[in-house]
């Protein structure tokens, strides 16, 4: 099967289904369960896995970059509110801190490549330290870059951390 999209928000999940129907993102299945309820066995049949998929930007971007739908990849855009100045800034204590659930799934399924993003705040950098430590401990090489979203065509100025991990 092609792609798996986890998206807790019903409106974003409906949008993902519409994008799939229009052929704008990889064909696949949208799962609205809480990420904590997803098991490794739920994901093993998929070539692409998009955790916290939002509106499908990763699938769309990968296609535009020439990444074929049948090439294995995982992406993760975990909620930034715990680590953003715009959120409550509860950090690792926030119930929306989903990295532990994502890391468990990555460690169990061992995808060859994982891409992700997070807010580039002081707290976001602390989050990235945890992510890189966990992934390196699971046998991945990791790298990250801090980019301004406006520099990538977004209509706003926000610093984002884009990271990748390769097994």
């Amino acid at each position: 099967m092609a792609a798996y999209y986890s998206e807790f928000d019903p409106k974003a999940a409906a949008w993902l289904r519409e994008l799939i129907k229009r052929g704008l993102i990889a064909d696949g299945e949208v799962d609205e369960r809480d990420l904590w309820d997803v098991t490794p066995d739920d994901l093993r049949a998929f070539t692409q896995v998009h955790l916290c998929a939002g509106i499908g930007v990763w699938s769309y971007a990968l296609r535009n970059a020439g990444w074929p739908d049948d090439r294995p990849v995982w992406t993760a855009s975990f909620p930034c509110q715990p680590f953003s100045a715009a959120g409550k800034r509860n950090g690792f204590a926030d119930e929306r801190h989903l990295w532990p659930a994502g890391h468990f799934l990555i460690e169990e399924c061992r995808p060859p490549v994982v891409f992700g993003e997070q807010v580039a705040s002081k707290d976001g950098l602390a989050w990235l330290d945890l992510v890189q430590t966990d992934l390196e401990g699971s046998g991945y090489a990791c790298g990250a870059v801090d980019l301004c979203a406006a520099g990538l065509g977004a209509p706003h100025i926000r610093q984002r951390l884009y990271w990748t991990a390769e097994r």
Side-chain angles (χ1 to χ4, degrees):
M1 190 173 294
Y4 169 92
Y5 301 89
S6 79
E7 181 47 57
F8 187 72
D9 180 84
K11 289 181 182 177
W15 182 245
L16 287 167
R17 289 183 184 97
E18 183 63 27
L19 293 175
I20 291 167
K21 188 171 106 180
R22 292 184 187 185
L24 295 171
I25 61 175
D27 187 32
E29 187 176 303
V30 180
D31 184 349
E32 293 183 50
R33 290 180 297 163
D34 188 303
L35 191 60
W36 290 102
D37 295 330
V38 177
T39 70
D41 286 340
D42 294 331
L43 306 178
R44 294 191 203 285
F46 294 95
T47 303
Q48 292 190 7
V49 172
H50 302 287
L51 303 176
C52 305
I55 58 170
V57 172
W58 278 111
S59 180
Y60 186 75
L62 287 166
R63 277 184 159 186
N64 282 332
W67 193 287
D69 290 349
D70 63 353
R71 183 175 175 191
V73 66
W74 280 34
T75 67
S77 291
F78 298 111
C80 63
Q81 294 91 336
F83 306 98
S84 170
K88 293 180 183 176
R89 303 191 77 178
N90 290 334
F92 299 108
D94 194 304
E95 69 274 359
R96 293 168 295 183
H97 170 50
L98 296 178
W99 170 249
H103 178 243
F104 170 73
L105 295 169
I106 291 166
E107 193 168 51
E108 291 295 313
C109 293
R110 312 284 299 148
V113 178
V114 184
F115 294 108
E117 56 89 24
Q118 182 56 271
V119 63
S121 65
K122 179 182 173 189
D123 293 335
L125 289 169
W127 177 88
L128 181 64
D129 283 343
L130 171 66
V131 169
Q132 287 184 310
T133 299
D134 286 348
L135 288 170
E136 288 171 357
S138 297
Y140 285 84
C142 302
V145 64
D146 179 342
L147 297 172
C148 179
L152 302 172
H156 53 80
I157 298 174
R158 275 194 278 174
Q159 293 301 117
R160 304 298 295 173
L161 291 171
Y162 292 93
W163 55 272
T164 186
E166 188 170 1
R167 192 178 57 200

